[in-house]
Amino acid sequence: MSVQVVVQGGAVRGLVANSAYQDDLLTTIAGSGVDVLACSNSMERIGVGAEALLPDVGTVPAAVTYLTQQQWAGAAYVRI
């Protein structure tokens, strides 16, 4: 089983280097087996480039599309 967290909207700001959550996120992500993915549409809208993201944070082109594709492939969706 794999776990992915897809972050969209203004919450993407919390995934950038030097954010208030940086230390907690780096500790949590490291070795957890959880994939953290940021929505590229949201990043573009708020002016965050991929180079600004924390290490090990990936991107997806559009969160809604990605989540739909994953659900059609059998994944469960839990909104948090």
Side-chain angles (χ1 to χ4, degrees), residues 46-71:
I46 63 175
V48 172
E51 70 283 350
L53 294 174
L54 293 170
D56 298 327
V57 173
T59 61
V60 295
V64 173
T65 302
Y66 183 77
L67 291 169
T68 302
Q69 291 169 337
Q70 294 301 303
Q71 287 177 50

Side-chain angles (χ1 to χ4, degrees), residues 2-76:
S2 68
V3 176
Q4 299 177 330
V5 176
V6 181
V7 180
Q8 65 178 3
V12 168
R13 287 185 186 99
L15 300 178
V16 299
N18 299 319
S19 76
Y21 309 106
Q22 176 176 335
D23 293 338
D24 290 336
L25 283 171
L26 289 174
T27 301
T28 301
I29 293 171
S32 68
V34 174
D35 295 324
V36 177
L37 305 167
C39 172
S40 293
N41 283 344
S42 297
M43 292 168 55
E44 182 177 333
R45 190 172 64 248
I46 63 175
V48 172
E51 70 283 350
L53 294 174
L54 293 170
D56 298 327
V57 173
T59 61
V60 295
V64 173
T65 302
Y66 183 77
L67 291 169
T68 302
Q69 291 169 337
Q70 294 301 303
Q71 287 177 50
W72 278 104

